[in-house]
Amino acid sequence: MNRHSTGGLVAAVVLSLTVAGCGEGGGGDRGTAPPGTATTPGTAPATGPATTPTPEASPTPSATPSPTRTYPLSTAPRTIPSVREHEPARGPGWRPGSGSAVVVAKGSGALADEARLLAGELKTAYRGEGAARAGDIELALNTGQAGGPESYTLTTRGGRVRISAPDQAGAFYGTRTVKQALRSGGAVPEGVIRDRPAKPQRGLNLDIARKHFSAAWIEDRLRDMADLKLNQLGLHFSDDQAFRIESTSHPEIVSQPHLTKAEVRRIVALANRLHISVVPEVDSPGHLGAVLRAHPQLQLRNVQGTPRQGAIDISKPASARIVDDLLREYAELFPGPWFHVGADEYQALTVRDPAASYPQLARAARQKYGAGADVEDLATGWLNDRAAVVRSERKKAKAWNDGFFAGGPVSAHEDIEVEYWTGKEIGAREPVEYLREGRRVVNLNDEYLYYVLGEPNQFTYPTGRRIYQEWTPLVLRGSSAVPERYGDQILGGRFAVWCDLANSQTAAQVANGIRMPLRATAQKLWDPATPQLTWEDFRALADRLDGG
């Protein structure tokens, strides 16, 4: 028998119609027979011997079956990102009614925050931990549930919705699907959704060093990210132009304006509630201009004494001490599992002969790593040492791909995640080379995922259309994909905002400019399949969801 046409359907439909109302798109009107269905008058079944009414009795009208409403098979809800799997069913779906509430299943009290947030968004009651009633949404933790981290199962049946997940993040994403389904279609469709992300790291990277963004603006981005099931916010807050977070270990380096630690704690707290990890970045040994203005004695100078912008002299022990002070300070402020240590665009390695131009670096390399070591090895050792500092703080280190070199006596530690952004810089190798080494890679392809204010250096503002139609996580450099066999080593990606020409756009313009690219990125990181919607339909869906 077809599972969607069982005898229990009528009872379920009757029950669901007594609670939260019917969903959009149902077939037939109340009180009319469904198309193609004949209705035949009949009599009630006899319960005893047939009798003949007496002449005085009024004739008994024959009983006619009340017509029941039927429904077409449901379709998957329209969401961004789209759900991975939807098992259709016949029924009215679910929408909140006057008696609806959000409840937490017994033993799932850890989901109270997620339940309260959803109740507030749907303007329904929150009833706490207890049994679900007709018209309710129930959230449940099931640690043994299949699907993996961040997955969830959403079942809509009998006038109720149940979201079950193996972890809190998955349950939260189920609530995002409910919220978007109501906005896009007016109801959560009948049936079962089984959903999970394709990639574990999905996010946005913000350069808040070159351009100050307020805490409130960043919090708005977090809320937007959460609805898109994005889970990682990178904060690049140290660069040549400015250092934008309050420091107690080195207050002399901090620029105005900047975020206070209290503001950062507020940002991190909101991110945690939305299941987003905030990844701090203190970039070194390049991009340290703001630090070096307060400590000019540490600036890298070539053999003629000419300083190199933003570059710290990694042959000096004091250089490591100040950077490590900052890494330790901010490791405490940001409790998430990652810390980005930079490693890109070190100016000592952009000249024809680094050893001749910077003999102090070449000398330090040989002293530390042996006669065959060169400046690249010293830079690699610097990366490893900074990664060791954040590792001691129980963090995983991330670094930009052009800080990883091959062929020398020193190799970057294997547990440092490669954030691949470009093939244009000195030291940048083809993505497949990192993958062949067994390294894990995060995609920040500057061809598709770099929103650079003012469009300098031949950058153009990326469009959501190009990301949606052309990019996948396998496209790490330019527009060419690496072989699919490396897919599991690609951990995900982030869309990145860089503020090279900071005054080119206001904060509001940045938010508007990244809106559709961020949605396209979220779609491609969550669902590996080719999108079913056309770009025009996807954009229209985004407009509907954002306007809801």
Side-chain angles (χ1 to χ4, degrees):
M1 179 181 290
N2 187 311
R3 64 183 300 168
H4 302 305
S5 58
T6 62
L9 173 63
V10 172
V13 171
V14 171
L15 171 63
S16 63
L17 289 173
T18 67
V19 292
C22 59
E24 293 182 352
D29 293 325
R30 199 182 298 268
T32 62
T37 302
T39 55
T40 305
T43 59
T47 56
T51 58
T52 302
T54 63
E56 295 79 19
S58 299
T60 301
S62 61
T64 302
S66 299
T68 59
R69 183 169 181 175
T70 62
Y71 298 90
L73 279 175
S74 61
T75 58
R78 292 292 179 93
T79 61
I80 297 176
S82 57
V83 301
R84 299 279 298 277
E85 180 184 342
H86 175 247
E87 179 183 308
R90 299 184 188 276
W94 181 93
R95 65 176 66 184
S98 59
S100 297
V102 181
V103 301
V104 173
K106 186 176 181 180
S108 299
L111 298 177
D113 285 347
E114 289 78 9
R116 287 191 187 95
L117 175 62
L118 181 63
E121 292 170 327
L122 301 185
K123 297 179 173 58
T124 65
Y126 168 63
R127 211 167 47 241
E129 191 171 341
R133 305 171 187 169
D136 285 353
I137 293 184
E138 180 187 46
L139 275 60
L141 275 178
N142 181 0
T143 56
Q145 180 172 312
E150 300 184 291
S151 67
Y152 66 94
T153 299
L154 191 158
T155 303
T156 305
R157 182 183 297 135
R160 305 179 189 183
V161 173
R162 186 174 195 269
I163 300 168
S164 63
D167 56 23
Q168 289 174 254
F172 176 69
Y173 295 144
T175 69
R176 302 306 86 194
T177 295
V178 167
K179 178 181 175 182
Q180 288 198 19
L182 291 171
R183 285 188 173 183
S184 64
V188 182
E190 202 86 2
V192 180
I193 293 167
R194 297 179 181 88
D195 204 11
R196 64 198 180 281
K199 296 297 179 184
Q201 295 187 35
R202 310 174 304 279
L204 172 66
N205 212 71
L206 287 177
D207 171 10
I208 65 171
R210 296 180 179 97
K211 184 179 183 70
H212 174 67
F213 292 98
S214 70
W217 188 91
I218 295 171
E219 288 167 349
D220 284 344
R221 305 287 74 71
L222 287 170
R223 295 185 184 96
D224 191 37
M225 291 170 63
D227 281 353
L228 299 172
K229 302 184 174 80
L230 297 172
N231 66 359
Q232 197 176 82
L233 174 67
L235 288 184
H236 175 93
F237 60 89
S238 169
D239 214 304
D240 295 345
Q241 291 80 358
F243 193 100
R244 297 283 190 190
I245 294 180
E246 175 188 356
S247 173
T248 51
S249 67
H250 290 280
E252 73 280 2
I253 70 174
V254 179
S255 307
Q256 295 293 344
H258 63 265
L259 296 174
T260 66
K261 286 193 173 183
E263 288 174 319
V264 172
R265 290 188 184 99
R266 193 178 79 199
I267 289 167
V268 169
L270 175 62
N272 287 342
R273 290 196 297 274
L274 300 176
H275 299 279
I276 296 170
S277 292
V278 183
V279 182
E281 181 189 354
V282 175
D283 202 349
S284 78
H287 294 280
L288 283 171
V291 173
L292 293 170
R293 278 195 292 276
H295 298 273
Q297 74 280 6
L298 299 180
Q299 186 153 21
L300 178 67
R301 295 176 182 271
N302 67 13
V303 70
Q304 287 85 29
T306 304
R308 291 308 300 264
Q309 179 181 355
I312 203 166
D313 190 334
I314 59 177
S315 70
K316 295 181 176 181
S319 295
R321 285 197 294 271
I322 190 170
V323 171
D324 291 349
D325 286 346
L326 297 171
L327 295 177
R328 292 188 179 98
E329 177 179 2
Y330 294 109
E332 182 180 356
L333 184 62
F334 293 93
W338 293 280
F339 204 118
H340 203 305
V341 297
D344 65 309
E345 298 183 314
Y346 187 43
Q347 295 298 305
L349 296 171
T350 63
V351 298
R352 182 180 59 83
D353 188 346
S357 295
Y358 301 99
Q360 76 275 32
L361 300 184
R363 185 165 53 252
R366 292 191 297 270
Q367 289 172 350
K368 189 169 184 178
Y369 300 113
D374 59 18
V375 178
E376 286 186 352
D377 293 302
L378 189 67
T380 302
W382 173 277
L383 168 61
N384 285 339
D385 290 345
R386 307 295 73 77
V389 170
V390 301
R391 195 181 302 117
S392 71
E393 300 290 333
R394 300 179 299 281
K395 309 285 186 187
K396 301 174 186 176
K398 291 175 172 287
W400 299 113
N401 67 286
D402 51 319
F404 291 75
F405 302 98
V410 184
S411 296
H413 198 280
E414 61 184 11
D415 71 353
I416 304 172
E417 293 180 4
V418 180
E419 303 241 325
Y420 200 100
W421 71 282
T422 190
K424 301 169 187 173
E425 298 295 328
I426 298 226
R429 296 175 285 144
E430 290 289 342
V432 74
E433 294 186 36
Y434 302 83
L435 297 166
R436 283 179 188 145
E437 294 172 2
R439 296 190 183 278
R440 293 167 298 170
V441 178
V442 179
N443 193 323
L444 287 94
N445 184 338
D446 64 351
E447 174 73 18
Y448 291 93
L449 306 179
Y450 261 37
Y451 191 94
V452 185
L453 296 199
E455 301 182 308
N457 302 319
Q458 300 181 323
F459 280 106
T460 58
Y461 292 127
T463 66
R465 180 192 291 268
R466 282 198 72 206
I467 297 168
Y468 188 77
Q469 294 179 340
E470 301 174 18
W471 179 81
T472 75
L474 293 172
V475 180
L476 285 161
R477 175 176 177 172
S479 57
S480 299
V482 299
E484 289 190 19
R485 65 179 178 273
Y486 294 118
D488 289 346
Q489 289 173 240
I490 300 172
L491 302 177
R494 293 196 306 282
F495 186 83
V497 176
W498 297 103
C499 302
D500 292 41
L501 300 175
N503 295 324
S504 299
Q505 290 190 343
T506 65
Q509 288 171 324
V510 173
N512 184 63
I514 69 174
R515 174 178 163 268
M516 287 310 301
L518 194 62
R519 279 149 181 74
T521 303
Q523 171 65 36
K524 302 303 280 288
L525 289 169
W526 184 272
D527 188 350
T530 300
Q532 294 186 357
L533 296 181
T534 66
W535 167 249
E536 289 73 19
D537 287 343
F538 182 82
R539 185 173 57 190
L541 174 60
D543 290 344
R544 182 163 187 171
L545 293 174
D546 293 348

